[in-house]
Amino acid sequence: MFRRRRNAADDQPATGRPDAAPDDEDEFAGPDEDEYPDADEYSGEDEYSGAAGYSQQDTGLPPEQVSGSGPWDASSGYPQRERVDLGSLLIPVLPGVEVQLNVAEDQIVAVTIARGDSALQVQALAAPKTGRLWDDIRSDNAAEIAGLGGETAEAEGPFGTELLARMPAEPGSGLTGLQPARFIGVDGPRWMLRGVLKGQAAANAEFAGPLEEVFADIVVVRGDHPAPPRDLLEIRLPPDLRQAMEQEMARAEEEAQAEQRRQYPSPFERGPEITETR
């Protein structure tokens, strides 16, 4: 199942966008930097759930033909598995997992994979042709968490150096005090995949395992188009799911309008009339 939602993310530090050297970034012509908002800034809350019949693809190569480990680059070999196509991200489909789409200003800015009381939020960013972006992103995240009154420490994990954090609880979550989070990241060819583990998965390896499996099997579709380093790679819905969501949202809007007309009839409409004959 998909869920489309707008959610406050005060616990998500913005990735920012550093001034890269000319030889460290893809050539591109586009708007000024101010027109690329930080991908982690969300506001409001509007959940959409339903459309369980989303598109799935059984993509990739037989496991014996694949070497190395993921996350995977779409232009290279990756193991065959059922995945849902979200444009720049091919997300593996696992039992008991719900895919949520994080939306800001009608743009999908992240994907959250939820399992019970645990969640993994992922984003794919454009990266320089040379160098490692995750080191810079991790440092920026640590600084912003400290500015929020949180605490961070680096540690070695299954994907390399990660950031262990204790952050202020998200407003409206019902939680108080500092909450654990794990920031993980992998540098690929001209892309970087960042994940944030929250809930029980942030502090318990048993709960983190299934979501780490999802992260390790994500396929990133970078594309050949030029993009500034740190620019969010486009996340989009499969056509059949987008159509189903639009139809359901239109139906819900019609039902809401009909209910409003029933509760608040127009004072200008003529009601029942009685004709008296003398």
Side-chain angles (χ1 to χ4, degrees):
M1 178 185 292
F2 272 99
R3 178 170 296 168
R4 177 183 183 271
R5 72 178 187 182
R6 303 176 188 269
N7 62 327
D10 296 286
D11 62 337
Q12 295 295 302
T15 57
R17 192 133 122 249
D19 295 324
D23 58 350
D24 280 346
E25 62 179 338
D26 293 343
E27 295 180 359
F28 73 100
D32 294 336
E33 186 169 310
D34 290 342
E35 295 190 29
Y36 293 91
D38 291 330
D40 291 332
E41 294 180 356
Y42 314 141
S43 61
E45 181 169 338
D46 178 21
E47 294 193 353
Y48 172 86
S49 62
Y54 54 84
S55 296
Q56 299 175 5
Q57 295 185 354
D58 194 10
T59 58
L61 300 173
E64 61 272 13
Q65 298 182 20
V66 179
S67 60
S69 59
W72 312 96
D73 181 71
S75 63
S76 305
Y78 54 90
Q80 189 176 55
R81 187 168 189 173
E82 192 174 47
R83 295 180 175 87
V84 58
D85 186 348
L86 296 176
S88 62
L89 297 171
L90 305 183
I91 305 293
V93 178
L94 293 178
V97 167
E98 182 182 71
V99 178
Q100 303 173 351
L101 304 178
N102 303 112
V103 179
E105 297 181 355
D106 295 325
Q107 178 187 6
I108 304 173
V109 293
V111 178
T112 295
I113 298 96
R115 185 176 186 271
D117 294 330
S118 299
L120 167 68
Q121 185 185 76
V122 294
Q123 293 174 307
L125 308 177
K129 295 178 180 178
T130 60
R132 294 173 57 85
L133 183 58
W134 171 232
D135 290 342
D136 294 337
I137 294 289
R138 191 173 65 250
S139 177
D140 292 347
N141 288 165
E144 294 189 32
I145 292 170
L148 294 172
E151 307 166 352
T152 61
E154 291 192 349
E156 290 302 308
F159 304 101
T161 306
E162 59 185 52
L163 193 67
L164 305 181
R166 285 170 49 81
M167 305 168 57
E170 183 178 344
S173 66
L175 302 174
T176 58
L178 298 180
Q179 302 297 316
R182 278 178 57 199
F183 291 72
I184 56 181
V186 171
D187 289 296
R190 299 174 61 237
W191 54 261
M192 188 216 75
L193 183 67
R194 188 188 78 155
V196 185
L197 288 159
K198 296 182 283 187
Q200 292 179 307
N204 188 307
E206 179 181 354
F207 291 96
L211 294 179
E212 289 174 348
E213 179 185 345
V214 172
F215 187 80
D217 213 14
I218 290 175
V219 179
V220 178
V221 184
R222 170 60 178 84
D224 297 327
H225 61 283
R230 299 195 181 207
D231 201 20
L232 180 67
L233 299 183
E234 182 184 10
I235 302 170
R236 59 178 182 269
L237 292 172
D240 59 340
L241 176 60
R242 182 171 60 249
Q243 182 180 6
M245 289 179 64
E246 290 173 351
Q247 291 174 349
E248 186 161 332
M249 292 174 69
R251 185 164 54 250
E253 178 66 21
E254 290 176 359
E255 292 175 354
Q257 292 178 356
E259 179 63 24
Q260 186 176 26
R261 287 194 295 269
R262 284 193 295 269
Q263 293 184 5
Y264 306 101
S266 172
F268 302 105
E269 292 181 358
R270 298 180 63 175
E273 298 182 2
I274 299 176
T275 303
E276 180 180 357
T277 303
R278 296 180 179 272

